[in-house]
Amino acid sequence: MSEARAEPHPDGPAGAQRWALYLDWLREEAIGLVLGLDPSEHRVTRLPSGWSPLEMLSHLLHMEQRWFVWGFLGEAVDEPWGDWNVPEPWLGDDSDATRPRARWAVGDDVTATDLAERLRAVGQRTRTVLAEHPLDARAAPGGRFGDDAPTLGWICFHVLVEYARHAGHLDVAAELSRG
């Protein structure tokens, strides 16, 4: 289990190993921001978009699993959209628009510690994928993608951008919760 809380060194390894280090870093930033909050703040929304830090952590867990396990490996996953309150939140494959009333949701019995452990396990799976496949390999058929499957390198970039965006969101939410 990696708990990288510092940006990877500029002279560090290149290629897939660098992607893994950057994903570890941002994953741990997000986990640290949520676990660093008082537990009473985990389910509180501080932003107009309405998500809570716990919902964001759940989203990151499911997002990474969707892209690397269901998407790249083509393996079935339980509840690929488990971070949402509907089974398929999107209106279409080429749309960022969600179905009416679709939003992130986390069960009452789920804790930030539970999600952090699960997210770290998904991160370990991602590191294994990156160690075992070249970055120019295309995603396997039968999973998330059809005939125009992206490469592993493209997936890494997409997931890294999503982590960076959401780590910034969590940073703002944490700052607001501290007053």
Side-chain angles (χ1 to χ4, degrees):
M1 173 185 319
S2 173
E3 293 193 23
R5 289 302 300 262
E7 182 175 10
H9 193 274
D11 295 328
Q17 194 172 358
R18 178 173 290 162
W19 284 115
L21 290 170
Y22 268 94
L23 290 168
D24 287 348
W25 173 47
L26 289 171
R27 186 183 309 107
E28 287 303 322
E29 280 296 309
I31 290 169
L33 284 163
V34 175
L35 294 180
L37 293 171
D38 186 277
S40 66
E41 291 288 322
H42 289 170
R43 293 179 184 272
V44 174
T45 181
R46 299 272 178 197
L47 301 168
S49 52
W51 55 266
S52 71
L54 195 64
E55 290 169 341
M56 179 65 81
L57 207 56
S58 174
H59 170 66
L60 291 171
L61 160 69
H62 288 89
M63 174 276 299
E64 187 169 351
Q65 180 178 254
R66 277 193 292 271
W67 282 101
F68 287 103
V69 180
W70 183 37
F72 181 76
L73 293 175
E75 294 178 8
V77 297
D78 292 337
E79 301 183 281
W81 303 105
D83 48 336
W84 291 86
N85 64 346
V86 295
E88 167 58 69
W90 307 109
L91 290 174
D93 288 342
D94 296 327
S95 172
D96 283 337
T98 57
R99 297 183 187 285
R101 294 179 296 286
R103 59 165 281 111
W104 292 341
V106 176
D108 292 339
D109 60 335
V110 177
T111 69
T113 302
D114 297 335
L115 290 173
E117 289 174 9
R118 291 176 56 202
L119 183 52
R120 287 178 176 135
V122 168
Q124 179 57 50
R125 190 77 192 276
T126 295
R127 283 190 296 284
T128 300
V129 168
L130 289 169
E132 294 178 353
H133 300 276
L135 292 173
D136 61 352
R138 295 244 171 226
R144 176 179 189 172
F145 306 111
D147 295 334
D148 192 24
T151 65
L152 180 57
W154 188 94
I155 290 170
C156 286
F157 190 78
H158 178 87
V159 172
L160 184 71
V161 167
E162 190 150 350
Y163 262 113
R165 178 185 321 118
H166 291 325
H169 292 147
L170 282 168
D171 195 37
V172 170
E175 185 177 337
L176 290 171
S177 78
R178 290 188 294 267

